[in-house]
Amino acid sequence: MDNTVIKIDDLTFFYTPDDEDTVPEDVLSGVSLEIGQGSFVAVLGHNGSGKSTLARHLNALLLPKGGTVTVFGMDTKDEELMLEIRRRVGMVFQNPDNQIVSNVVEEDVAFAPENLGVPTPEIRQRVDEALKTVGMYKYRTHAPHLLSGGQKQRIAIAGVLAMRPKCVVFDEPTAMLDPQGRRDVMKIIGRMKNELGSTVILITHHMEEAALADRVVVMSDGKLVMDGPPREIFTHVEELEALGLTVPGTVKLMWELRRRGLDVPLSTLTVDECAAALADHFGK
Amino acid sequence: MLRDITLGQFFPGSTVVHRLDPRTKIMMVVVYIAALFNAKSWVSYGVVLAFLVFSIAVSRIRLSAMLRGLKPIVFIVVLTSLLNLLYARGEDVIAHWWIFTITRQGVKAAILMAARLIMLVMGTFMLTYTTSPIMLTYGLELLMNPLKKLKVPVHELAMMMSMALRLIPTLIEETDKIMSAQKARGAEFDTGNLIEKAKAMLPVLVPLFLSSFRRADELATAMEARCYHGGEGRTRLNVLKFARRDYLAFAAGLLLLAAVIVLARLGL
Amino acid sequence: MDEPILKIEKLSHVYSPGTPFETTALRDVDLEIYKGEILGIIGHTGSGKSTLIQHLNALIKPTSGRILLNGHDINESKQSVREVRSRVGLVFQYPEYQLFEETVKKDIAFGPRNMKLPQEEIDRRVMEAARFCGVEEELLDRAPFDLSGGQKRRVAIAGVIAMMPEVLVLDEPMAGLDPRGREEIMENILAYHNETGAAIVIVTHSMEEAARHAGRMAVLEHGTVAMSGTPEEVFSHGEQLRQMGLATPVMTDVADKLCKLGVKLAGTVYTVEQMVDALMALEGGRRDAS
């Protein structure tokens, strides 16, 4: 790929143990992955599979113990480039409460541009723009701790967008949200990809969210075990279940029907697709 | 209960008081406190009170919010005024009972002491209620800037303070939640003697302590991910600049102090 | 049906009454919880769910109305409050953050110890609760903070189950877990339900989970019970649920779409199993016809 923006090559990582006698356990072992500009990649895997550890390598929060991570042509081990890397690769975390730094929404969104030394008039412009993108502009002078979880998460996203990153890594951004909050966050992700042309990497436990990606990467025990478009990945119903994962309900339905001898397509990722395929079969 | 603690709370608004430079407000609080401690008579207290009431009115902070903030100090106020009431010396005895003597001077001292404490707390609330913690710490940072020459880590101190203020509402909420969860497991916090009560807090304090660490750790990671790297080269969304209103407000503060000192000289 | 074990009568709750922050969280809620049933409570953030469940064991006192446990007002006396705390077990969201003891065993024993039970009974209950929650024996002497996220969650739930409540109320017990973790927690809850006959109340955002296990559901909206009944009844109002901002089960969505496309299914469908059955029945009919 010549539009590669992230290149992970044989990445190995372990947390250095507290005492010297214990042998460290690899959290990531031999992970290689290339991600192209503007793509939307979902990362699936059970708890402790190494997804978050992998994510934290993409903006130099963690540095490889073996192998290399290159983002936008920059080696993450190069300390000189750290700020530039973090500016280009934004990150949204799971718990919205623990990533908001200010008691006023707009001051929070301004945090990253302030750190980057962006001139004051431009910070204002970026903050307003980011808040409008996530639909929270009218809350700009509110106190974040009085907002709902979904709203807080949108503020956190705005705080990342204000850096004008080329790529945003979402680490289970919807895990603590209700269905409405989840939908709002997914809508923003869609807008970022389509309107801003951002590269999006989404770590999630929700298969329905992963189904919206262009590409799904599955991790297990620190290794990359599957990689492909969702339509292809979700046909491996049994393998995914063996890895402690599931498939979207619509796929599961088709799989059960096929097992019973019905001739229906397997990888219907959305409700519309699924209903259309069934209507097609039963309408005849 | 715990929600009543309004420390670090900020009520956003757009009144003149809100828009004043935080440095002005910090300095005004200092001047105000100086005036309050120089006030000795009913008249000078009245002047300081008028100043306070005027500021509250202009800031449109609800009186109920002000009063709620006073709750935690009620005990201290009552105690100190009682001590003043009973131990102040004076000749005009109003009442005498057992070893206690209440004098006119005692009553005055008690009332003024209570007034002083309440006005002190309310005055500082005016600062925290109308200034966002970030602006407050920014103001402090700028005021303390000369200390940088003495190798005082001014930015770091200011950032630590602003993070602490940011986490207070979250931790209060968390404490409420953990207390409820342990009550649901049959814990009782309001029975037994002092030692038993202290022991009963353990199931709240341990999780609270751990969660504070976890939150602080996650917050630090999130800050790093948003390019935080200390105070060097930082710019600001809201740059502080003294405006006409700041000079006027500060002049008003100084006038208050001068008035109180003059009144004291006049023996009032 | 039997007499309800918990009866909520005209319950209203107002936060900070008489202040500018006054908010009505619950308004005239009537709800019954029957012996041995599984009740799913659904509603989006701010619908009053968590205020409601904290009334069930007297953590919050009603502004008006009452809650009856086997016919007795739970807020009647200090004694009745103490009693309801153990008879109605409440598992909060992310309960693993309330663990505090040095060992898993001690933490699970916290509830029974507060009930002032004899030591043998406490030990018995700890073992029993650990078994229900799939907490292996070798974990009992470990520090709870050394465990994985899923394990911690199960230990925390065991801490409530150890009080052997007749009603077990859980607020989003599966939030934040991966699919396998979710399944395990659900199995633990069902094991307790099946073996002891305790009533289960699950508060959830996930329609799928509510649909799969609940015998009855109550939908909360703006502090009132907007709908209640069997999952069939509730999910037959798909459009109304969507208007409340709630997600209907995916299978209900598929069924509604199919209906619009001219394929009618018998009955209300809300799980994959039901959908498979309904479609296979349709397929059978089709084959017979040709």
Side-chain angles (χ1 to χ4, degrees):
Chain A
M1 270 187 271
D2 50 4
N3 68 343
T4 301
V5 291
I6 290 173
K7 191 170 188 305
I8 300 167
D9 191 26
D10 201 22
L11 168 64
T12 298
F13 183 81
F14 50 83
Y15 288 97
T16 312
D18 295 333
D19 59 309
E20 287 165 25
D21 301 335
T22 18
V23 183
E25 225 175 296
D26 279 358
V27 185
L28 294 173
S29 47
V31 175
S32 295
L33 184 67
E34 284 186 20
I35 292 171
Q37 171 67 44
S39 56
F40 177 6
V41 182
V43 183
L44 298 177
H46 55 84
N47 282 345
S49 61
K51 296 168 305 205
S52 292
T53 309
L54 178 67
R56 274 151 213 237
H57 278 85
L58 301 180
N59 66 346
L61 284 175
L62 293 175
L63 297 176
K65 291 274 159 72
T68 54
V69 176
T70 316
V71 295
F72 298 96
M74 298 177 280
D75 187 335
T76 59
K77 275 191 220 156
D78 190 340
E79 243 176 83
E80 299 274 290
L81 298 172
M82 191 179 73
L83 276 188
E84 186 56 22
I85 290 169
R86 290 188 183 159
R87 187 181 73 75
R88 301 255 196 127
V89 183
M91 190 170 282
V92 177
F93 299 87
Q94 187 186 99
N95 190 338
D97 274 323
N98 297 351
Q99 49 189 322
I100 287 175
V101 296
S102 167
N103 297 31
V104 181
V105 166
E106 64 175 14
E107 284 176 9
D108 184 77
V109 177
F111 184 69
E114 287 177 345
N115 290 331
L116 292 165
V118 172
T120 298
E122 196 190 326
I123 298 182
R124 169 58 60 191
Q125 199 185 329
R126 286 188 184 204
V127 167
D128 291 353
E129 193 182 284
L131 281 171
K132 281 175 187 158
T133 306
V134 301
M136 290 296 289
Y137 183 68
K138 68 173 177 200
Y139 293 96
R140 63 191 179 283
T141 57
H142 284 227
H145 71 270
L146 299 176
L147 302 175
S148 76
Q151 289 173 321
K152 280 187 245 183
Q153 197 62 296
R154 278 147 75 189
I155 302 295
I157 296 174
V160 168
L161 289 180
M163 296 196 290
R164 304 230 167 111
K166 292 241 164 67
C167 169
V168 179
V169 182
F170 289 87
D171 191 354
E172 295 190 42
T174 61
M176 302 181 79
L177 307 185
D178 66 358
Q180 186 59 48
R182 202 174 284 161
R183 275 195 293 269
D184 290 341
V185 167
M186 289 313 292
K187 231 184 268 167
I188 293 168
I189 291 180
R191 198 177 304 154
M192 284 170 56
K193 183 186 138 49
N194 298 327
E195 292 168 26
L196 305 177
S198 312
T199 306
V200 174
I201 296 161
L202 171 68
I203 297 175
T204 182
H205 284 318
H206 293 278
M207 305 303 145
E208 279 74 15
E209 292 172 5
L212 300 171
D214 314 324
R215 179 177 171 196
V216 173
V217 170
V218 182
M219 293 194 60
S220 182
D221 299 325
K223 291 192 182 65
L224 217 151
V225 290
M226 285 187 205
D227 182 358
R231 212 167 282 286
E232 199 268 320
I233 294 293
F234 287 130
T235 58
H236 303 284
V237 179
E238 278 160 318
E239 288 101 309
L240 287 169
E241 283 178 356
L243 292 170
L245 302 171
T246 56
V247 294
T250 50
V251 177
K252 179 80 178 169
L253 171 68
M254 294 313 218
W255 187 76
E256 291 285 347
L257 290 174
R258 282 166 68 101
R259 229 166 47 119
R260 287 170 174 75
L262 252 63
D263 180 28
V264 286
L266 178 52
S267 55
T268 51
L269 296 180
T270 64
V271 168
D272 287 348
E273 245 179 81
C274 179
L278 288 172
D280 195 39
H281 179 83
F282 287 101
K284 272 177 220 158
Chain B
M1 204 180 39
L2 281 164
R3 290 204 184 90
D4 295 332
I5 300 174
T6 40
L7 181 69
Q9 228 184 59
F10 162 55
F11 297 97
S14 54
T15 68
V16 180
V17 182
H18 284 89
R19 284 199 313 252
L20 280 180
D21 191 299
R23 289 171 293 180
T24 312
K25 284 189 264 188
I26 294 167
M27 290 186 297
M28 277 180 76
V29 166
V30 173
V31 170
Y32 168 84
I33 291 173
L36 190 59
F37 278 84
N38 278 301
K40 298 273 185 289
S41 66
W42 297 108
V43 180
S44 44
Y45 267 91
V47 172
V48 180
L49 181 66
F51 184 82
L52 177 66
V53 168
F54 178 74
S55 330
I56 295 176
V58 173
S59 72
R60 299 219 193 116
I61 297 288
R62 284 208 173 85
L63 200 63
S64 60
M66 277 284 171
L67 295 178
R68 227 154 29 101
L70 288 176
K71 259 193 206 168
I73 63 151
V74 166
F75 178 71
I76 302 172
V77 171
V78 171
L79 188 75
T80 46
S81 12
L82 258 181
L83 288 177
N84 270 289
L85 182 66
L86 299 175
Y87 292 109
R89 290 195 190 161
E91 291 88 50
D92 309 335
V93 177
I94 300 170
H96 184 85
W97 179 71
W98 193 31
I99 53 166
F100 302 113
T101 313
I102 293 175
T103 63
R104 189 183 298 278
Q105 287 77 3
V107 173
K108 182 180 172 189
I111 294 174
L112 289 186
M113 181 49 87
R116 177 179 286 178
L117 278 171
I118 292 170
M119 282 159 71
L120 178 72
V121 172
M122 280 184 141
T124 39
F125 276 167
M126 282 300 297
L127 175 65
T128 56
Y129 280 8
T130 63
T131 319
S132 86
I134 288 236
M135 291 315 275
L136 188 61
T137 45
Y138 185 20
L140 271 177
E141 189 180 341
L142 290 180
L143 284 175
M144 294 193 302
N145 244 343
L147 295 178
K148 266 188 189 158
K149 293 215 176 76
L150 303 171
K151 295 260 187 299
V152 177
V154 172
H155 168 79
E156 284 73 11
L157 285 173
M159 185 50 94
M160 274 159 68
M161 192 177 134
S162 99
M163 285 302 115
L165 287 170
R166 150 72 189 85
L167 284 174
I168 284 171
T170 315
L171 289 179
I172 289 175
E173 211 172 285
E174 182 115 351
T175 310
D176 261 354
K177 220 183 286 171
I178 297 172
M179 279 181 89
S180 297
Q182 305 299 30
K183 272 194 214 159
R185 293 207 282 166
E188 287 176 20
F189 301 112
D190 45 8
T191 52
N193 58 37
L194 210 60
I195 294 173
E196 281 170 327
K197 271 188 191 161
K199 252 179 144 177
M201 287 311 287
L202 208 66
V204 176
L205 292 178
V206 173
L208 189 64
F209 197 62
L210 289 168
S211 102
S212 313
F213 267 108
R214 201 186 60 247
R215 280 183 195 282
D217 186 50
E218 284 183 24
L219 191 59
T221 307
M223 284 168 68
E224 269 186 60
R226 281 162 76 185
C227 300
Y228 181 66
H229 58 109
E232 214 176 304
R234 267 196 116 222
T235 47
R236 291 283 180 167
L237 169 67
N238 299 307
V239 182
L240 294 185
K241 242 195 252 143
F242 285 119
R244 223 170 83 103
R245 58 172 173 268
D246 291 298
Y247 297 117
L248 288 175
F250 193 59
L254 287 178
L255 207 64
L256 171 75
L257 182 58
V260 169
I261 290 173
V262 168
L263 283 170
R265 277 289 161 87
L266 295 174
L268 278 168
Chain C
M1 229 188 267
D2 305 333
E3 261 300 284
I5 181 163
L6 266 179
K7 193 167 180 352
I8 300 160
E9 283 181 351
K10 290 241 163 292
L11 173 65
S12 296
H13 190 88
V14 181
Y15 282 112
S16 333
T19 73
F21 301 97
E22 180 173 313
T23 36
T24 304
L26 294 173
R27 189 175 296 130
D28 283 337
V29 171
D30 285 308
L31 192 66
E32 278 152 14
I33 294 155
Y34 296 94
K35 232 184 186 118
E37 76 164 338
I38 300 183
L39 173 70
I41 296 184
I42 293 170
H44 56 73
T45 313
S47 61
K49 289 175 302 182
S50 55
T51 308
L52 174 65
I53 60 169
Q54 291 186 64
H55 275 93
L56 299 183
N57 68 346
L59 280 175
I60 301 182
K61 306 248 178 309
T63 304
S64 67
R66 2 177 250 170
I67 296 110
L68 305 175
L69 176 67
N70 291 319
H72 298 285
D73 189 340
I74 60 169
N75 290 302
E76 202 172 65
S77 64
K78 248 191 159 162
Q79 187 52 41
S80 69
V81 167
R82 196 170 293 161
E83 204 182 300
V84 75
R85 293 274 160 85
S86 58
R87 292 179 65 184
V88 177
L90 178 52
V91 179
F92 278 82
Q93 251 179 64
Y94 299 94
E96 57 273 28
Y97 296 144
Q98 83 207 16
L99 300 175
F100 69 100
E101 281 282 15
E102 301 142 65
T103 67
V104 168
K105 194 193 263 174
K106 277 190 182 172
D107 211 294
I108 299 178
F110 182 65
R113 226 172 37 234
N114 286 328
M115 291 166 73
K116 314 236 158 32
L117 296 170
Q119 190 58 45
E120 309 93 79
E121 178 62 12
I122 294 178
D123 291 341
R124 191 188 69 78
R125 287 188 171 204
V126 169
M127 299 309 286
E128 188 83 346
R131 184 177 61 82
F132 278 127
C133 294
V135 178
E136 295 97 358
E137 250 193 278
E138 65 260 32
L139 294 184
L140 289 177
D141 291 314
R142 299 254 300 269
F145 313 109
D146 289 345
L147 310 181
S148 77
Q151 283 172 329
K152 277 189 214 166
R153 177 82 51 99
R154 294 208 299 271
V155 168
I157 295 177
V160 175
I161 283 184
M163 299 195 296
M164 299 286 153
E166 294 152 64
V167 182
L168 180 63
V169 185
L170 305 107
D171 189 0
E172 291 281 342
M174 288 154 295
L177 297 179
D178 62 7
R180 183 169 293 165
R182 300 174 80 89
E183 211 153 287
E184 281 171 354
I185 295 278
M186 201 59 225
E187 278 166 19
N188 299 152
I189 297 168
L190 289 176
Y192 181 66
H193 169 74
N194 292 333
E195 279 189 45
T196 64
I200 307 287
V201 178
I202 298 189
V203 175
T204 177
H205 292 313
S206 163
M207 286 286 183
E208 254 76 20
E209 262 142 18
R212 203 138 34 109
H213 305 287
R216 221 157 51 85
M217 294 178 34
V219 180
L220 251 61
E221 165 91 337
H222 302 312
T224 59
V225 179
M227 264 186 232
S228 73
T230 60
E232 280 88 350
E233 287 162 0
V234 170
F235 292 132
S236 63
H237 304 285
E239 204 44 53
Q240 212 179 326
L241 288 169
R242 273 179 286 249
Q243 268 167 17
M244 288 183 206
L246 295 170
T248 39
V250 175
M251 287 304 124
T252 308
D253 294 347
V254 172
D256 287 356
K257 259 281 140 51
L258 266 178
C259 182
K260 279 183 196 143
L261 293 170
V263 180
K264 265 216 141 325
L265 298 176
T268 307
V269 171
Y270 50 87
T271 66
V272 170
E273 291 76 33
Q274 288 170 337
M275 188 60 133
V276 169
D277 291 345
L279 289 172
M280 289 314 288
L282 211 61
E283 178 75 4
R286 216 165 63 105
R287 279 190 192 146
D288 291 344
S290 60

